[in-house]
Structure formats: structure tokens, C-alpha cells
Amino acid sequence: MSAPEGVSPQQYYIQHHLVHFNNLGEKQQSIADFSVINYDSLFWSIAMGLIVIGVLYLAARKATSGVPGRFQAAVEMMVEMVADQAKGIVHNAQSRLFVAPLALTVFLWITLMNTLDLVPVDLLGWVFQQLGLAHDHHDPLYYHRILPTADLNIPMGMSMCVLLLSLYYGIKIKGGGHFVAELFTAPFHAHGVGAILLAPANFALNLIEYGAKTVSLGMRLFGNMFAGELVFMLIALLGGAWSGFNALSIALGAGHVVAGAIWAIFHIMVILLQAFIFMMLTLVYIGQAHEGH
């Protein structure tokens, strides 16, 4: 792959792998462009979601009351773990009937999406070549990123759903009138003229709180996974520097294998931790919606 004039091969390699397979056929230029559809992010996120639903459905179908097998035992451990966390955060038993399965689905879904980061960087391009679907690096299929959580649209879309659920439960539990009134009367409580004077400040602070929680929830997941993806690309550059059987190429190749293995092992913890954090914050935000200031 030849780099354009004025761009180093390393820069071009990274820039090339940061382009999505979208309806533009090129890298998105603006930060926010709602006309752009990243087909790769949609495909892989939906595929991982269907796998999660299929696994949980299979576990429910094969569940027995006797001694559980390994598969059933593993699923039961995850269900109990999430149920315990939900019970300690969301105190409304009726709400937990929906929130606990939601949290389990979120945890497994994000875990699977994050795990795609362990797929070798250039594997998909090679597969598309072998299948005859892509011929050179100018082919749109080369612009394909397999990691949905490194696309800001996916984490922010999920965090927006958490925001909507928080608003839904806030209205459902407290009632529409009380929910709206709380936006203007908390967190600074006052009476009479003081309540009227503080109402704009209370409303502004509540809007900032909802916005900050939503943005931080999505950006946290995106930032960690995007950084991990970049590290894998930088490690791949070590292997890409191979120029034959000489000392430098052998050293870089060995560094590529060792660094890739170490980072992949460490990244497993990041994958699980980010999924767990997103799940816990989902429970916390929905739990807070049940409580008054």
C-alpha cells in the first residue's frame, strides 16, 4: 500500500485502518454527520447482539432443575451476579424484572463487541481478498472496522438509551407532575420566593447532570476501546516493517509477537472491565431515577 506524498507509510496505515465502511466510501470529515451510516459498526453490533440473545435463549431452553452442566452453570453464575448487583442498586422489585435482564444483556453484548478487538488488524482485509470481494486498498470493503465500541456512534447510542430509560422510570415511579417539579426544586430546596429564584438554577443543574452522565457513559467506553484499537495498530506496524531475514526485521518481528501477546492478555481485562462498568452505571442511573433528591 503506497502512501500519498507528504504522508509517511506509518501514518497512512493508521489513517487507512481508522476509516469505516460507510455510505460515503471515505472517511467522515465532520464530527457530527447524521447522513453517514457506518455499515461495519451496524453489522457487527447487531451480529453480537443476536449471538447474546441466542445464547441466553439456548440457556433458558436447556435449563434443568437437576445438576447443571458447565454451560448452564456459567450462565447461572452470570445471572446471579447481575441479579445481586441489581438488587443492591434498584430497590423496586417490579422494576428489577426488566432492569436485571437488561443489565445482563448489556454486559454480555458489550463484552462480545469489545472482544472483536482481539481479531488481528489486517485479517478482514486478507479474508476479503481471498473471497474476491476486495481487490486493492481503494476498495470500499477495505474501509472496514470490526470494533463497534470504537465507533463513537455505538457507545453514545447505548448511553442515550440508558438516558431514556432513566427518564422513563423517573416519570413512572414519581409521576409526571412530581418528576417535572423535582427538576425545578432540587438539588437546592427552598420555599416561597427562594424556590422561584432557585428554579432556573435547579433546572440547569439537572439538565447538566443528565447530559454529563450520558456523555461520560458513552465516552468512557469509546475512549478505552479506541485507545486499545490504536495500540493494536501500532503493534501491527512492527510486523509490517519486515524487510527480509536481517537482524532488525527479526527483532521487530519478535517484538510484534511478544508485544501483541502481552497487550492482548492485558486487553482481556479491559474488555471485561469496560463491559462491567457500563452495566453497573446503567444500574446506578436507573436506580437513581427511582429515588428523589
Side-chain angles (χ1 to χ4, degrees):
M1 179 186 303
S2 58
E5 187 177 351
V7 180
S8 68
Q10 294 80 10
Q11 285 179 300
Y12 186 56
Y13 179 86
I14 297 295
Q15 292 173 2
H16 170 78
H17 281 79
L18 291 179
V19 177
H20 286 280
F21 176 36
N22 55 38
N23 57 324
L24 296 180
E26 60 183 19
K27 187 174 182 179
Q28 179 178 325
Q29 299 301 319
S30 58
I31 296 177
D33 189 345
F34 293 101
S35 66
V36 178
I37 302 174
N38 293 333
Y39 299 125
D40 44 12
S41 297
L42 284 175
F43 174 81
W44 289 109
S45 59
I46 292 173
M48 295 304 103
L50 291 175
I51 290 174
V52 169
I53 293 173
V55 169
L56 294 178
Y57 175 76
L58 186 63
R61 284 289 302 272
K62 291 190 173 183
T64 61
S65 58
V67 179
R70 293 181 180 179
F71 175 64
Q72 181 178 336
V75 174
E76 287 181 353
M77 286 177 60
M78 287 189 292
V79 170
E80 290 177 4
M81 181 270 291
V82 175
D84 289 341
Q85 298 295 337
K87 188 175 181 179
I89 298 173
V90 182
H91 303 296
N92 187 297
Q94 189 66 29
S95 297
R96 284 201 304 271
L97 295 176
F98 172 79
V99 174
L102 169 70
L104 176 63
T105 305
V106 165
F107 174 71
L108 294 176
W109 189 21
I110 295 179
T111 297
L112 278 188
M113 287 194 291
N114 289 352
T115 303
L116 292 173
D117 202 15
L118 300 178
V119 176
V121 174
D122 296 303
L123 179 61
L124 280 179
W126 178 83
V127 169
F128 291 145
Q129 272 188 320
Q130 302 306 308
L131 295 176
L133 299 175
H135 305 288
D136 55 38
H137 67 276
H138 297 293
D139 195 294
L141 268 179
Y142 266 87
Y143 300 103
H144 187 109
R145 293 175 67 183
I146 195 174
L147 182 61
T149 46
D151 177 3
L152 185 58
N153 297 283
I154 300 299
M156 285 305 299
M158 298 178 71
S159 64
M160 286 293 292
C161 291
V162 174
L163 171 64
L164 292 177
L165 284 171
S166 298
L167 296 175
Y168 167 76
Y169 277 106
I171 296 172
K172 179 182 178 181
I173 300 299
K174 302 171 185 176
H178 183 72
F179 176 80
V180 173
E182 195 175 67
L183 292 176
F184 293 92
T185 58
F188 301 119
H189 298 280
H191 300 282
V193 178
I196 298 175
L197 295 175
L198 288 174
N202 283 329
F203 183 67
L205 285 174
N206 279 297
L207 288 182
I208 292 171
E209 179 184 0
Y210 280 116
K213 289 193 296 187
T214 302
V215 172
S216 63
L217 182 62
M219 288 296 294
R220 182 183 293 104
L221 176 59
F222 162 74
N224 281 278
M225 299 314 300
F226 182 76
E229 184 185 38
L230 281 179
V231 172
F232 275 120
M233 291 179 188
L234 293 174
I235 293 173
L237 286 173
L238 295 175
W242 180 269
S243 59
F245 286 96
N246 53 67
L248 179 61
S249 293
I250 293 174
L252 290 175
H256 167 78
V257 174
V258 173
I262 292 174
W263 180 245
I265 293 171
F266 172 77
H267 205 56
I268 293 173
M269 181 182 69
V270 176
I271 287 168
L272 295 173
L273 183 61
Q274 290 305 312
F276 182 77
I277 290 174
F278 198 101
M279 179 200 74
M280 289 299 297
L281 289 176
T282 298
L283 289 173
V284 168
Y285 294 159
I286 294 178
Q288 288 177 344
H290 287 69
E291 302 170 359
H293 287 277

